[in-house]
Amino acid sequence: MTTSTLDHDAPAPAIEWTGALDLARVEQPVTAVGAGALVDDPVDAAMLRAARDAHAARDDASWYYQYLPMTDEGVFFRVHARDTVPFEDERGLVVLPE
C-alpha cells in the first residue's frame, strides 16, 4: 500500500480511515516500484479490502484503479491498496532466486 497527500479536495464522498495504521507514516511523494508498505495487521488489511470493495461498487468509482480517496484526521490521501502475492517482499517487490 502507498499513500500520497491530495493536492485538492477528495472526490465526494471520501472514505474516513479509522484503522490503526497512520496513513501519513506510509506516505510517498509518488507511487513507484518498491515504494509500497506492507500492511500486516489483519484488522487494517481487512478494513482496506472492505474500503476498496465498497469504493469499487460505487456507480461513480471512476478513480477505482488509480486510488481510494481517504481522509485521516482531516487530511485527504490517495490510497493505493492491493493484495500481495506470497513471493513479494515487504515493499511489494518480487525477490528473484539467486
Side-chain angles (χ1 to χ4, degrees):
M1 178 188 92
T2 62
T3 70
S4 59
T5 308
L6 284 167
D7 53 5
H8 55 81
D9 289 344
I15 302 159
E16 178 65 33
W17 176 247
T18 58
L21 177 68
D22 179 6
L23 296 183
R25 185 181 63 78
V26 294
E27 183 174 0
Q28 300 291 327
V30 66
T31 301
V33 174
L38 179 65
V39 177
D40 56 0
D41 179 274
V43 174
D44 280 348
M47 290 174 70
L48 284 167
R49 283 186 192 102
R52 181 188 62 197
D53 293 347
H55 187 68
R58 288 178 32 193
D59 290 337
D60 61 345
S62 62
W63 292 100
Y64 170 59
Y65 288 108
Q66 293 185 11
Y67 66 87
L68 296 172
M70 298 186 106
T71 59
D72 188 7
E73 297 186 10
V75 179
F76 290 106
F77 290 94
R78 293 179 187 99
V79 175
H80 305 269
R82 66 174 178 80
D83 288 304
T84 61
V85 292
F87 46 84
E88 291 181 36
D89 69 8
E90 66 278 354
R91 296 170 298 147
L93 298 176
V94 174
V95 180
L96 298 175
E98 294 182 25

